[in-house]
């Protein structure tokens, strides 16, 4: 497995990370815990060292799963988790709440330190300087090693970075969700901050396995409420899958591998974290690290995308309202 560096403080991770959320929450029923452990440990066996979770996933159950799975090789992996967005407390980044969440996360993760701690969503009621200062204190105490922000905009990132260097920004980014390219990615490059795209394969759409007939269970699948996943939007957005498939066929690859290889080709400080809840998905996704896209390939993708107008917002209004651009 190739590695990449997040941030100027030298956080080294596998070039492809693993989003663990789907094993517990968000895109269907939770996996059996033994199956979840098997998938996460299989990812480690295949070279992945970067695992992403959050208190909000479940809530709580995903951190417990990640902690149990990675305990035997804790020192060999990087665990990222998040505070500040959960159903019972809402958006809350008050310093005392951050500390409370960290203590609870440490217990669930069965560890005495968190490698990378993200603010899950920016709290409009707490100055980002206070958040960054709290994380700085936690780093000095040895409970956290690196600081991250999720769904944060350029102004927030810049302000936070002055107080405590930000090692990674985790925003939604993929071949069909490119908002970070306007201000966030250029800022990350200028400040030496790593960028971790979540939903790098379009919350499953870029696999090519979702059709207008696909049904999403509103009780267990967040996509049931996403405008981009209505039957009409799926039908309208299918050309991007056709474009990826066309490129994939020339590379003896899959659409997923091209979608991930495209992200890896954008910047050397980008580390995607696809959600992989089955061992066969691991095998497919990991191959993307070795897929080489030439300048001609990238130009062909850009020209193809120029002819596609994506239908539907990337998230529902409630979640979009919690994100900065």
């Amino acid at each position: 497995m190739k590695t990449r560096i997040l941030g100027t403080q030298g956080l080294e991770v596998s070039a492809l990370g693993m989003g663990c959320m789907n094993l517990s929450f968000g895109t269907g029923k939770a996996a059996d815990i033994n199956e979840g452990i098997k998938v996460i440990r299989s990812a480690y066996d295949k070279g992945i060292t970067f695992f992403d979770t959050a208190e909000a996933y479940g809530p709580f159950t995903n951190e417990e799963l990640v902690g149990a799975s990675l305990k035997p090789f804790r020192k060999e992996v990087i665990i990222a988790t998040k505070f500040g967005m959960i159903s019972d407390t809402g958006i809350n980044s008050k310093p005392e709440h951050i500390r409370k969440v960290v203590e609870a996360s440490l217990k669930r993760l069965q560890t005495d330190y968190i490698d990378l701690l993200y603010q899950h969503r920016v709290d409009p009621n707490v100055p980002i300087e206070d958040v960054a200062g709290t994380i700085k204190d936690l780093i000095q105490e040895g409970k956290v090693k690196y600081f991250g922000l999720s769904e944060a905009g350029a102004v927030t990132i810049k302000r936070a970075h002055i107080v405590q260097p930000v090692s990674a920004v985790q925003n939604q980014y993929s071949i069909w969700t490119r908002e970070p390219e306007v201000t966030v990615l250029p800022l990350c490059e200028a400040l030496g901050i790593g960028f971790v795209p979540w939903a790098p394969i379009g919350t499953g759409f870029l696999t090519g396995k979702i059709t207008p007939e696909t049904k999403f269970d509103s009780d267990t699948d967040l996509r049931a409420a996403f405008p981009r996943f209505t039957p009409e939007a799926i039908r309208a957005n299918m050309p991007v899958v056709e474009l990826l498939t066309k490129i994939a066929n020339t590379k003896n690859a899959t659409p997923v591998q091209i979608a991930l290889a495209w992200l890896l080709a954008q910047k050397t400080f980008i580390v995607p974290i696809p959600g992989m809840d089955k061992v066969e998905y691991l095998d497919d996704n990991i191959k993307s690290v070795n897929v080489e896209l030439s300048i001609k390939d990238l130009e062909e993708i850009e020209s193809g995308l120029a002819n596609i107008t994506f239908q539907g917002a990337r998230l529902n209004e409630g979640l979009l309202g919690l994100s900065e651009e």
Side-chain angles (χ1 to χ4, degrees):
M1 172 61 73
K2 297 174 182 176
T3 62
R4 290 191 168 193
I5 303 294
L6 296 175
T8 54
Q9 294 168 301
L11 175 55
E12 185 173 5
V13 298
S14 50
L16 195 71
M18 179 179 183
C20 298
M21 181 188 82
N22 294 357
L23 288 163
S24 305
F25 166 84
T27 57
K29 291 181 180 176
D32 170 80
I33 187 152
N34 291 322
E35 180 63 21
I37 289 172
K38 176 185 166 187
V39 175
I40 292 173
R41 289 184 178 173
S42 179
Y44 172 75
D45 290 340
K46 295 172 190 295
I48 289 178
T49 61
F50 186 35
F51 296 86
D52 184 89
T53 183
E55 63 156 354
Y57 301 160
F60 311 127
T61 54
N62 196 243
E63 281 188 327
E64 291 169 351
L65 172 63
V66 170
S69 301
L70 298 178
K71 189 176 182 181
F73 24 83
R74 173 66 186 98
K75 301 295 184 186
E76 283 76 58
V77 297
I78 300 298
I79 296 177
T81 192
K82 311 175 195 72
F83 65 87
M85 183 179 81
I86 197 166
S87 54
D88 65 341
T89 57
I91 301 297
N92 187 345
S93 284
K94 292 177 181 174
E96 63 271 21
H97 184 71
I98 295 173
R99 286 186 167 277
K100 180 182 172 186
V101 172
V102 165
E103 293 302 327
S105 290
L106 288 170
K107 286 188 177 69
R108 287 190 290 269
L109 291 166
Q110 300 186 50
T111 185
D112 56 1
Y113 66 95
I114 294 164
D115 293 288
L116 175 58
L117 182 65
Y118 292 103
Q119 180 189 42
H120 207 153
R121 292 293 184 274
V122 177
D123 185 342
N125 300 311
V126 178
I128 195 63
E129 289 82 0
D130 292 355
V131 175
T134 303
I135 305 304
K136 184 174 186 175
D137 291 343
L138 287 164
I139 289 171
Q140 289 171 349
E141 293 164 25
K143 293 180 179 179
V144 173
K145 289 193 172 184
Y146 301 92
F147 175 35
L149 296 169
S150 179
E151 286 295 305
V155 172
T156 297
I157 296 164
K158 196 180 295 185
R159 285 170 53 195
H161 193 70
I162 292 169
V163 178
Q164 168 61 40
V166 177
S167 292
V169 170
Q170 183 183 135
N171 287 9
Q172 189 174 14
Y173 182 44
S174 68
I175 210 163
W176 78 334
T177 305
R178 299 180 66 175
E179 288 88 344
E181 293 176 352
V182 180
T183 57
V184 171
L185 269 174
L187 179 67
C188 286
E189 186 161 32
L191 296 180
I193 298 172
F195 190 85
V196 178
W198 69 268
I201 50 177
T203 326
F205 185 77
L206 302 179
T207 64
K209 294 173 182 174
I210 290 173
T211 71
E213 290 70 45
T214 301
K215 298 284 187 272
F216 302 101
D217 181 356
S218 58
D219 291 334
T220 60
D221 199 318
L222 296 171
R223 293 172 294 187
F226 291 174
R228 203 166 276 190
F229 284 88
T230 65
E232 299 75 24
I234 289 170
R235 198 170 286 110
N237 296 329
M238 205 54 79
V240 72
V241 175
E242 295 164 4
L243 174 62
L244 290 171
T245 303
K246 180 185 172 188
I247 302 289
N249 289 340
T250 69
K251 301 281 181 184
N252 192 27
T254 64
V256 166
Q257 290 163 17
I258 300 302
L260 292 171
W262 179 86
L263 280 170
L264 290 165
Q266 299 309 301
K267 300 290 179 183
T268 57
F269 56 85
I270 287 177
V271 179
I273 49 164
M276 299 177 278
D277 53 9
K278 291 184 174 60
V279 172
E280 59 261 36
Y281 297 166
L282 283 170
D283 294 334
D284 186 17
N285 292 6
I286 285 173
K287 289 175 184 172
S288 65
V289 176
N290 294 314
V291 173
E292 297 288 341
L293 293 178
S294 66
I295 292 173
K296 182 171 175 292
D297 294 327
L298 293 169
E299 287 173 349
E300 185 176 347
I301 290 170
E302 286 300 325
S303 62
L305 290 171
N307 297 318
I308 301 171
T309 302
F310 292 114
Q311 183 173 314
R314 65 186 179 98
L315 299 169
N316 59 16
E317 282 188 17
L319 286 174
L320 277 178
L322 303 178
S323 300
E324 297 185 340
E325 289 296 345

